[in-house]
Amino acid sequence: MLANCVVGLGFSYRGFRAGLERKPHLIGCDAGSADFGPGFLGSGRDAKSALAVRRDLKLMMEGAHEAGCPLVLGSCGGAGSRPHVLGYERMVRQIAAELGISPRIALIHADQDRDTLHDALTRSRIRPLGPFPQLTHADIDGSSDIVAMMGAGPVADALEAGADIVLAGRCADPAIYAAQAMRLGADPALAWHAAKCVDKGYLATTAPSEGSPVLATIRGDHFDIEPTKAGAVCTVASVARTAMYENPDPFTLRQPTGELDVSRARYEQIGNAVRVRGSLFTDTAPTVKLEGARLAGHRAILFAGLRDPRLLARLDEFLDRYRTLLDAAARSMGVAPERYTVVFRPYGRDAVLGPAEPSADVPAEVGLVVDVVADTPDLALALAGRAGPIGSRLDVGGGIGSGGNFAYPFSPSSIAVGPVYEWSVWHVMDVDDEKDPFRVELAAA
Protein backbone atom coordinates (compact mmCIF):
# COMPACT_ATOMS: atom_id res chain seq x y z
CA MET A 1 0.00 0.00 0.00
CA LEU A 2 1.67 3.18 -1.23
CA ALA A 3 0.86 6.19 0.93
CA ASN A 4 1.33 9.90 0.39
CA CYS A 5 0.63 12.35 3.20
CA VAL A 6 -2.21 14.76 2.39
CA VAL A 7 -3.48 15.84 -1.01
CA GLY A 8 -2.19 19.32 -1.69
CA LEU A 9 0.77 19.17 0.68
CA GLY A 10 3.01 17.64 -1.94
CA PHE A 11 5.26 14.58 -2.01
CA SER A 12 8.46 13.46 -3.69
CA TYR A 13 7.87 12.70 -7.38
CA ARG A 14 10.91 10.43 -7.59
CA GLY A 15 9.90 8.66 -4.41
CA PHE A 16 6.41 8.12 -5.78
CA ARG A 17 7.73 6.70 -9.04
CA ALA A 18 10.00 4.36 -7.11
CA GLY A 19 7.01 3.20 -5.10
CA LEU A 20 5.11 2.37 -8.29
CA GLU A 21 7.90 -0.02 -9.25
CA ARG A 22 6.94 -2.11 -6.21
CA LYS A 23 3.53 -2.78 -7.84
CA PRO A 24 1.30 -1.67 -4.95
CA HIS A 25 -2.20 -3.04 -4.49
CA LEU A 26 -3.40 0.42 -3.47
CA ILE A 27 -2.35 4.05 -3.67
CA GLY A 28 -3.89 6.10 -0.90
CA CYS A 29 -3.87 9.63 0.39
CA ASP A 30 -5.68 11.57 3.07
CA ALA A 31 -7.33 14.73 1.79
CA GLY A 32 -8.67 16.43 4.91
CA SER A 33 -8.62 16.98 8.63
CA ALA A 34 -10.52 18.62 11.48
CA ASP A 35 -7.21 20.24 12.50
CA PHE A 36 -8.11 23.39 10.56
CA GLY A 37 -11.29 23.92 12.56
CA PRO A 38 -14.94 23.91 11.47
CA GLY A 39 -14.67 26.63 8.83
CA PHE A 40 -14.27 24.33 5.84
CA LEU A 41 -17.12 22.04 6.86
CA GLY A 42 -19.39 25.00 7.45
CA SER A 43 -18.50 26.85 4.28
CA GLY A 44 -18.00 23.95 1.88
CA ARG A 45 -14.66 25.45 0.78
CA ASP A 46 -11.52 23.38 0.27
CA ALA A 47 -8.72 23.70 2.80
CA LYS A 48 -6.09 23.56 0.04
CA SER A 49 -5.55 25.55 -3.12
CA ALA A 50 -6.81 24.00 -6.36
CA LEU A 51 -3.34 24.41 -7.87
CA ALA A 52 -1.67 22.33 -5.15
CA VAL A 53 -4.44 19.71 -5.10
CA ARG A 54 -4.40 19.33 -8.86
CA ARG A 55 -0.65 18.65 -8.94
CA ASP A 56 -0.92 15.80 -6.44
CA LEU A 57 -4.09 14.34 -7.95
CA LYS A 58 -2.67 14.20 -11.45
CA LEU A 59 0.48 12.38 -10.34
CA MET A 60 -1.48 9.86 -8.28
CA MET A 61 -4.10 9.24 -10.97
CA GLU A 62 -1.43 8.71 -13.60
CA GLY A 63 0.49 6.39 -11.28
CA ALA A 64 -2.56 4.34 -10.28
CA HIS A 65 -3.50 3.89 -13.93
CA GLU A 66 0.02 2.68 -14.77
CA ALA A 67 0.14 0.33 -11.78
CA GLY A 68 -3.36 -1.01 -12.41
CA CYS A 69 -4.37 -0.47 -8.79
CA PRO A 70 -7.09 1.63 -7.19
CA LEU A 71 -6.56 5.12 -5.82
CA VAL A 72 -8.41 5.93 -2.57
CA LEU A 73 -8.73 9.47 -1.23
CA GLY A 74 -10.32 10.07 2.17
CA SER A 75 -11.96 13.20 3.61
CA CYS A 76 -12.02 14.88 0.22
CA GLY A 77 -11.76 18.64 0.13
CA GLY A 78 -10.72 19.05 3.74
CA ALA A 79 -13.95 18.24 5.57
CA GLY A 80 -15.45 15.48 3.43
CA SER A 81 -18.91 16.96 2.95
CA ARG A 82 -20.92 16.63 -0.26
CA PRO A 83 -19.62 19.88 -1.84
CA HIS A 84 -16.06 18.72 -1.21
CA VAL A 85 -16.60 15.28 -2.73
CA LEU A 86 -18.34 16.72 -5.79
CA GLY A 87 -15.56 19.29 -6.18
CA TYR A 88 -12.98 16.51 -6.22
CA GLU A 89 -15.05 14.58 -8.73
CA ARG A 90 -15.05 17.55 -11.12
CA MET A 91 -11.29 17.93 -10.83
CA VAL A 92 -10.67 14.19 -11.24
CA ARG A 93 -12.78 14.11 -14.41
CA GLN A 94 -10.90 17.07 -15.86
CA ILE A 95 -7.56 15.42 -15.16
CA ALA A 96 -8.77 12.07 -16.52
CA ALA A 97 -9.72 13.77 -19.80
CA GLU A 98 -6.26 15.33 -20.00
CA LEU A 99 -4.63 11.93 -19.39
CA GLY A 100 -6.91 10.19 -21.86
CA ILE A 101 -8.19 7.67 -19.32
CA SER A 102 -11.71 6.71 -18.21
CA PRO A 103 -11.53 5.52 -14.59
CA ARG A 104 -14.55 4.17 -12.75
CA ILE A 105 -15.15 6.65 -9.95
CA ALA A 106 -16.92 5.87 -6.69
CA LEU A 107 -18.21 8.66 -4.46
CA ILE A 108 -18.88 7.90 -0.80
CA HIS A 109 -21.13 10.52 0.75
CA ALA A 110 -20.76 11.16 4.49
CA ASP A 111 -23.40 13.89 4.95
CA GLN A 112 -26.02 12.91 7.49
CA ASP A 113 -29.80 12.94 7.20
CA ARG A 114 -31.22 15.24 9.89
CA ASP A 115 -34.26 13.03 10.57
CA THR A 116 -31.97 10.05 11.19
CA LEU A 117 -29.92 12.09 13.64
CA HIS A 118 -33.01 13.36 15.46
CA ASP A 119 -34.21 9.76 15.82
CA ALA A 120 -30.82 8.57 17.10
CA LEU A 121 -30.73 11.43 19.62
CA THR A 122 -34.21 10.61 20.86
CA ARG A 123 -33.13 6.97 21.29
CA SER A 124 -30.05 8.04 23.29
CA ARG A 125 -27.67 6.70 20.65
CA ILE A 126 -25.56 9.86 20.46
CA ARG A 127 -23.10 10.94 23.15
CA PRO A 128 -20.40 13.60 23.41
CA LEU A 129 -16.83 12.90 22.37
CA GLY A 130 -14.62 14.32 25.10
CA PRO A 131 -15.54 17.49 27.03
CA PHE A 132 -18.37 18.54 24.72
CA PRO A 133 -21.99 19.30 25.72
CA GLN A 134 -24.80 16.85 25.15
CA LEU A 135 -26.23 17.18 21.66
CA THR A 136 -29.63 18.82 21.31
CA HIS A 137 -32.21 18.80 18.54
CA ALA A 138 -31.54 22.51 18.12
CA ASP A 139 -27.85 21.74 17.49
CA ILE A 140 -28.83 19.38 14.69
CA ASP A 141 -31.22 21.85 13.06
CA GLY A 142 -28.84 24.78 13.47
CA SER A 143 -25.83 23.12 11.83
CA SER A 144 -24.70 24.16 8.37
CA ASP A 145 -23.55 20.62 7.67
CA ILE A 146 -23.04 17.39 9.61
CA VAL A 147 -20.86 14.51 8.45
CA ALA A 148 -20.01 11.11 9.89
CA MET A 149 -16.51 9.63 9.81
CA MET A 150 -16.50 6.34 7.92
CA GLY A 151 -14.42 3.29 8.61
CA ALA A 152 -13.23 0.59 6.23
CA GLY A 153 -16.64 -0.86 5.33
CA PRO A 154 -17.87 1.76 2.84
CA VAL A 155 -14.43 2.01 1.22
CA ALA A 156 -14.32 -1.77 0.79
CA ASP A 157 -17.78 -1.70 -0.81
CA ALA A 158 -16.63 0.90 -3.31
CA LEU A 159 -13.61 -1.22 -4.20
CA GLU A 160 -15.77 -4.34 -4.48
CA ALA A 161 -17.99 -2.43 -6.91
CA GLY A 162 -14.99 -2.07 -9.19
CA ALA A 163 -13.98 1.51 -8.54
CA ASP A 164 -10.63 2.62 -9.91
CA ILE A 165 -10.77 5.85 -7.92
CA VAL A 166 -12.60 6.19 -4.60
CA LEU A 167 -13.49 9.71 -3.49
CA ALA A 168 -14.57 9.32 0.09
CA GLY A 169 -16.23 11.91 2.27
CA ARG A 170 -15.16 12.25 5.91
CA CYS A 171 -13.06 9.19 6.60
CA ALA A 172 -10.93 7.74 9.37
CA ASP A 173 -7.43 8.04 7.93
CA PRO A 174 -6.39 4.38 8.47
CA ALA A 175 -9.59 3.18 6.75
CA ILE A 176 -8.19 4.45 3.44
CA TYR A 177 -5.64 1.62 3.56
CA ALA A 178 -7.13 -0.99 5.89
CA ALA A 179 -10.13 -1.55 3.60
CA GLN A 180 -8.06 -2.86 0.71
CA ALA A 181 -5.74 -4.85 2.96
CA MET A 182 -8.61 -6.70 4.62
CA ARG A 183 -10.31 -7.24 1.25
CA LEU A 184 -7.18 -9.05 0.13
CA GLY A 185 -7.10 -11.26 3.23
CA ALA A 186 -4.85 -9.43 5.68
CA ASP A 187 -5.37 -9.97 9.40
CA PRO A 188 -7.41 -7.02 10.77
CA ALA A 189 -4.80 -6.22 13.43
CA LEU A 190 -2.01 -6.06 10.86
CA ALA A 191 -4.20 -4.18 8.39
CA TRP A 192 -5.28 -1.48 10.85
CA HIS A 193 -1.84 -1.07 12.42
CA ALA A 194 -0.04 -0.90 9.07
CA ALA A 195 -2.65 1.59 7.89
CA LYS A 196 -2.13 3.75 10.96
CA CYS A 197 1.63 3.71 10.40
CA VAL A 198 1.30 5.08 6.86
CA ASP A 199 -1.84 7.20 6.97
CA LYS A 200 0.27 10.35 7.39
CA GLY A 201 2.76 9.29 4.74
CA TYR A 202 6.16 10.82 5.29
CA LEU A 203 5.53 11.47 8.99
CA ALA A 204 6.60 7.83 9.43
CA THR A 205 10.11 8.80 8.29
CA THR A 206 12.87 10.61 10.15
CA ALA A 207 12.76 13.58 7.75
CA PRO A 208 9.16 14.49 6.85
CA SER A 209 10.34 17.60 5.00
CA GLU A 210 11.85 15.36 2.31
CA GLY A 211 8.33 14.25 1.36
CA SER A 212 9.02 10.56 0.87
CA PRO A 213 5.99 8.36 0.16
CA VAL A 214 5.83 5.33 2.43
CA LEU A 215 5.11 1.73 1.50
CA ALA A 216 3.40 -0.77 3.79
CA THR A 217 3.83 -4.44 2.91
CA ILE A 218 1.66 -6.88 4.89
CA ARG A 219 2.61 -10.53 5.15
CA GLY A 220 1.29 -13.44 7.19
CA ASP A 221 2.30 -12.39 10.70
CA HIS A 222 3.96 -8.99 10.27
CA PHE A 223 4.21 -5.91 8.11
CA ASP A 224 7.07 -3.71 6.91
CA ILE A 225 7.06 0.09 6.68
CA GLU A 226 9.62 1.65 4.36
CA PRO A 227 10.23 4.95 2.56
CA THR A 228 10.38 4.97 -1.22
CA LYS A 229 12.53 8.06 -1.72
CA ALA A 230 16.25 7.39 -1.99
CA GLY A 231 18.03 8.42 1.20
CA ALA A 232 14.89 8.53 3.36
CA VAL A 233 14.72 6.33 6.45
CA CYS A 234 12.02 4.84 8.66
CA THR A 235 13.19 3.97 12.17
CA VAL A 236 11.63 2.13 15.09
CA ALA A 237 11.03 5.49 16.76
CA SER A 238 9.55 7.22 13.70
CA VAL A 239 7.17 4.34 12.99
CA ALA A 240 6.17 3.65 16.59
CA ARG A 241 5.30 7.28 17.24
CA THR A 242 2.63 7.24 14.52
CA ALA A 243 0.35 5.50 17.02
CA MET A 244 0.48 8.63 19.18
CA TYR A 245 -0.44 11.02 16.36
CA GLU A 246 -3.93 12.48 16.88
CA ASN A 247 -4.59 9.87 19.54
CA PRO A 248 -5.01 10.37 23.31
CA ASP A 249 -3.91 6.81 24.10
CA PRO A 250 -0.59 5.65 22.60
CA PHE A 251 -1.55 1.98 22.89
CA THR A 252 -5.28 1.77 22.06
CA LEU A 253 -6.65 3.20 18.84
CA ARG A 254 -10.42 3.25 18.48
CA GLN A 255 -11.81 2.49 15.04
CA PRO A 256 -15.48 2.40 13.95
CA THR A 257 -15.71 -1.38 14.34
CA GLY A 258 -13.15 -2.17 17.02
CA GLU A 259 -10.03 -1.31 18.97
CA LEU A 260 -6.45 -1.70 17.83
CA ASP A 261 -4.11 -2.61 20.69
CA VAL A 262 -0.45 -1.91 19.95
CA SER A 263 0.83 -2.33 23.51
CA ARG A 264 2.39 -5.69 22.60
CA ALA A 265 3.67 -4.66 19.19
CA ARG A 266 7.35 -5.24 18.52
CA TYR A 267 9.37 -3.11 16.12
CA GLU A 268 12.53 -4.30 14.37
CA GLN A 269 14.89 -2.19 12.28
CA ILE A 270 15.73 -3.78 8.92
CA GLY A 271 17.87 -1.45 6.84
CA ASN A 272 15.87 1.71 6.21
CA ALA A 273 12.61 -0.13 6.96
CA VAL A 274 10.84 -1.28 10.11
CA ARG A 275 9.16 -4.65 10.65
CA VAL A 276 6.20 -4.77 13.04
CA ARG A 277 4.38 -7.70 14.61
CA GLY A 278 2.28 -8.45 17.66
CA SER A 279 -0.60 -5.93 17.48
CA LEU A 280 -4.14 -7.05 18.33
CA PHE A 281 -7.60 -6.03 17.12
CA THR A 282 -10.82 -6.56 19.08
CA ASP A 283 -14.23 -6.17 17.46
CA THR A 284 -16.67 -3.84 19.21
CA ALA A 285 -20.18 -2.58 18.57
CA PRO A 286 -20.00 -0.20 15.59
CA THR A 287 -19.96 3.56 16.11
CA VAL A 288 -19.23 6.60 13.98
CA LYS A 289 -17.92 10.01 14.92
CA LEU A 290 -20.16 12.94 13.99
CA GLU A 291 -18.81 16.39 13.11
CA GLY A 292 -21.03 19.40 12.55
CA ALA A 293 -20.47 23.10 12.05
CA ARG A 294 -22.70 26.16 12.43
CA LEU A 295 -22.32 29.83 11.59
CA ALA A 296 -21.08 31.78 14.62
CA GLY A 297 -20.76 35.22 13.04
CA HIS A 298 -18.40 37.24 10.86
CA ARG A 299 -14.79 38.07 11.61
CA ALA A 300 -12.62 41.14 11.18
CA ILE A 301 -9.13 41.49 12.60
CA LEU A 302 -6.71 44.24 13.47
CA PHE A 303 -3.02 43.43 13.68
CA ALA A 304 -0.59 45.76 15.38
CA GLY A 305 2.98 45.55 16.61
CA LEU A 306 3.75 46.67 20.18
CA ARG A 307 7.31 47.43 21.23
CA ASP A 308 7.27 50.05 24.02
CA PRO A 309 8.94 48.18 26.94
CA ARG A 310 7.00 50.24 29.47
CA LEU A 311 3.68 49.24 27.94
CA LEU A 312 4.69 45.59 27.56
CA ALA A 313 5.61 45.46 31.24
CA ARG A 314 1.99 46.42 31.98
CA LEU A 315 0.35 44.51 29.12
CA ASP A 316 -2.45 42.97 31.21
CA GLU A 317 -3.41 46.39 32.51
CA PHE A 318 -3.32 47.76 28.98
CA LEU A 319 -5.54 44.99 27.58
CA ASP A 320 -8.07 45.29 30.43
CA ARG A 321 -8.38 49.01 29.84
CA TYR A 322 -8.45 48.45 26.07
CA ARG A 323 -11.41 46.08 26.38
CA THR A 324 -13.31 48.50 28.61
CA LEU A 325 -12.91 51.35 26.14
CA LEU A 326 -13.78 49.17 23.14
CA ASP A 327 -16.97 47.98 24.85
CA ALA A 328 -17.83 51.59 25.61
CA ALA A 329 -17.32 52.49 21.96
CA ALA A 330 -19.67 49.69 20.93
CA ARG A 331 -22.32 50.95 23.34
CA SER A 332 -21.95 54.46 21.92
CA MET A 333 -22.82 53.02 18.50
CA GLY A 334 -25.89 51.28 19.92
CA VAL A 335 -24.40 47.78 19.66
CA ALA A 336 -25.68 45.29 22.23
CA PRO A 337 -22.98 43.13 23.94
CA GLU A 338 -24.50 39.87 22.70
CA ARG A 339 -23.89 40.91 19.09
CA TYR A 340 -20.11 40.63 19.20
CA THR A 341 -17.06 39.15 20.90
CA VAL A 342 -13.52 40.46 21.05
CA VAL A 343 -10.45 38.33 21.75
CA PHE A 344 -6.98 39.80 22.20
CA ARG A 345 -4.19 37.52 20.98
CA PRO A 346 -0.81 38.96 22.01
CA TYR A 347 1.65 36.89 19.97
CA GLY A 348 5.04 36.97 21.62
CA ARG A 349 3.73 36.51 25.13
CA ASP A 350 0.80 34.15 25.70
CA ALA A 351 -1.26 34.01 22.50
CA VAL A 352 -0.78 30.25 22.16
CA LEU A 353 -0.82 28.87 25.72
CA GLY A 354 -2.67 31.70 27.46
CA PRO A 355 -2.62 31.37 31.23
CA ALA A 356 -0.67 28.10 30.94
CA GLU A 357 2.38 29.93 29.58
CA PRO A 358 5.29 29.11 31.96
CA SER A 359 7.43 32.15 31.14
CA ALA A 360 6.73 35.46 32.86
CA ASP A 361 9.51 37.37 31.13
CA VAL A 362 8.64 40.68 29.50
CA PRO A 363 9.04 40.20 25.73
CA ALA A 364 10.90 42.65 23.50
CA GLU A 365 7.90 42.97 21.22
CA VAL A 366 4.38 41.63 20.84
CA GLY A 367 2.18 41.23 17.79
CA LEU A 368 -1.35 41.97 18.96
CA VAL A 369 -4.27 40.50 17.02
CA VAL A 370 -7.62 42.05 17.92
CA ASP A 371 -10.06 39.34 16.85
CA VAL A 372 -13.61 40.65 16.45
CA VAL A 373 -16.55 38.35 15.70
CA ALA A 374 -19.95 39.97 15.23
CA ASP A 375 -23.34 39.05 13.83
CA THR A 376 -22.82 41.01 10.60
CA PRO A 377 -19.74 41.69 8.46
CA ASP A 378 -20.23 45.46 8.70
CA LEU A 379 -20.38 45.42 12.50
CA ALA A 380 -17.24 43.26 12.76
CA LEU A 381 -15.32 45.65 10.51
CA ALA A 382 -16.68 48.71 12.32
CA LEU A 383 -15.53 47.44 15.72
CA ALA A 384 -12.13 46.42 14.36
CA GLY A 385 -11.81 49.89 12.88
CA ARG A 386 -12.60 51.52 16.20
CA ALA A 387 -10.14 49.21 17.96
CA GLY A 388 -7.21 50.73 16.09
CA PRO A 389 -7.37 54.35 17.27
CA ILE A 390 -8.54 53.31 20.76
CA GLY A 391 -5.54 51.06 21.36
CA SER A 392 -2.97 53.20 19.58
CA ARG A 393 -3.79 56.22 21.76
CA LEU A 394 -4.42 54.39 25.04
CA ASP A 395 -2.37 55.75 27.96
CA VAL A 396 -2.06 53.27 30.83
CA GLY A 397 -0.60 55.91 33.13
CA GLY A 398 2.59 57.90 33.46
CA GLY A 399 2.67 58.99 29.85
CA ILE A 400 2.91 55.43 28.56
CA GLY A 401 1.24 55.26 25.16
CA SER A 402 -1.13 58.07 24.15
CA GLY A 403 -0.17 58.20 20.50
CA GLY A 404 2.42 55.70 19.33
CA ASN A 405 1.43 52.33 20.75
CA PHE A 406 0.76 50.51 17.47
CA ALA A 407 2.92 49.83 14.42
CA TYR A 408 0.65 48.67 11.60
CA PRO A 409 2.20 46.18 9.12
CA PHE A 410 -0.82 46.29 6.79
CA SER A 411 -2.89 48.95 5.08
CA PRO A 412 -5.78 48.98 5.65
CA SER A 413 -5.09 47.91 9.20
CA SER A 414 -8.59 46.46 9.72
CA ILE A 415 -9.12 43.33 7.65
CA ALA A 416 -12.44 41.62 6.91
CA VAL A 417 -11.94 37.86 7.19
CA GLY A 418 -15.43 36.52 6.47
CA PRO A 419 -17.87 34.04 8.01
CA VAL A 420 -16.85 32.25 11.21
CA TYR A 421 -18.01 28.75 12.09
CA GLU A 422 -17.92 26.80 15.32
CA TRP A 423 -18.22 23.11 16.09
CA SER A 424 -21.87 22.33 16.80
CA VAL A 425 -21.52 18.54 16.72
CA TRP A 426 -18.52 16.60 18.06
CA HIS A 427 -20.16 13.35 19.12
CA VAL A 428 -20.23 9.58 18.70
CA MET A 429 -23.27 7.76 17.35
CA ASP A 430 -24.09 4.08 17.85
CA VAL A 431 -25.11 2.35 14.61
CA ASP A 432 -26.35 -1.09 13.69
CA ASP A 433 -23.87 -1.38 10.83
CA GLU A 434 -20.83 0.80 10.16
CA LYS A 435 -22.02 1.26 6.57
CA ASP A 436 -25.48 2.58 7.42
CA PRO A 437 -24.64 6.31 7.64
CA PHE A 438 -22.92 6.36 4.23
CA ARG A 439 -23.93 6.09 0.59
CA VAL A 440 -21.69 4.68 -2.11
CA GLU A 441 -22.37 6.08 -5.57
CA LEU A 442 -20.60 4.50 -8.54
CA ALA A 443 -20.43 7.29 -11.08
CA ALA A 444 -20.37 6.64 -14.78
CA ALA A 445 -16.91 6.71 -16.36
Side-chain angles (χ1 to χ4, degrees), residues 72-289:
V72 177
L73 307 175
S75 299
C76 287
S81 67
R82 181 176 177 83
H84 295 117
V85 173
L86 296 181
Y88 261 53
E89 182 193 13
R90 288 191 294 270
M91 190 175 294
V92 163
R93 290 191 179 281
Q94 292 169 358
I95 294 172
E98 294 173 8
L99 295 175
I101 61 176
S102 299
R104 291 163 292 183
I105 302 171
L107 314 179
I108 310 180
H109 299 289
D111 301 80
Q112 296 304 291
D113 176 72
R114 305 300 172 101
D115 290 339
T116 300
L117 295 179
H118 282 301
D119 178 65
L121 182 59
T122 300
R123 296 167 59 195
S124 300
R125 303 194 78 184
I126 299 178
R127 58 189 180 278
L129 180 60
F132 210 86
Q134 292 288 340
L135 191 66
T136 68
H137 292 287
D139 292 331
I140 296 173
D141 291 333
S143 297
S144 304
D145 205 344
I146 302 174
V147 294
M149 181 181 286
M150 72 187 74
V155 178
D157 281 354
L159 294 172
E160 284 289 341
D164 299 309
I165 299 176
V166 178
L167 303 177
R170 191 69 173 109
C171 183
D173 298 344
I176 296 169
Y177 306 93
Q180 177 73 323
M182 290 187 291
R183 278 188 70 239
L184 299 180
D187 176 84
L190 296 177
W192 280 110
H193 195 182
K196 179 60 182 173
C197 289
V198 301
D199 69 27
K200 287 295 180 288
Y202 41 69
L203 290 189
T205 72
T206 57
S209 61
E210 295 181 2
S212 175
V214 178
L215 188 74
T217 303
I218 303 176
R219 299 184 176 86
D221 66 345
H222 67 272
F223 61 87
D224 294 340
I225 305 295
E226 60 185 298
T228 60
K229 182 179 184 292
V233 177
C234 289
T235 66
V236 167
S238 69
V239 171
R241 72 186 178 209
T242 60
M244 293 182 279
Y245 192 85
E246 298 179 333
N247 190 46
D249 186 329
F251 299 116
T252 303
L253 293 85
R254 185 75 172 89
Q255 303 299 332
T257 57
E259 290 186 345
L260 174 65
D261 180 0
V262 301
S263 63
R264 301 180 185 178
R266 297 295 177 264
Y267 303 81
E268 178 186 359
Q269 192 73 48
I270 302 178
N272 68 345
V274 174
R275 179 161 294 173
V276 186
R277 50 167 50 90
S279 43
L280 302 171
F281 189 83
T282 303
D283 293 328
T284 61
T287 60
V288 294
K289 179 191 177 189

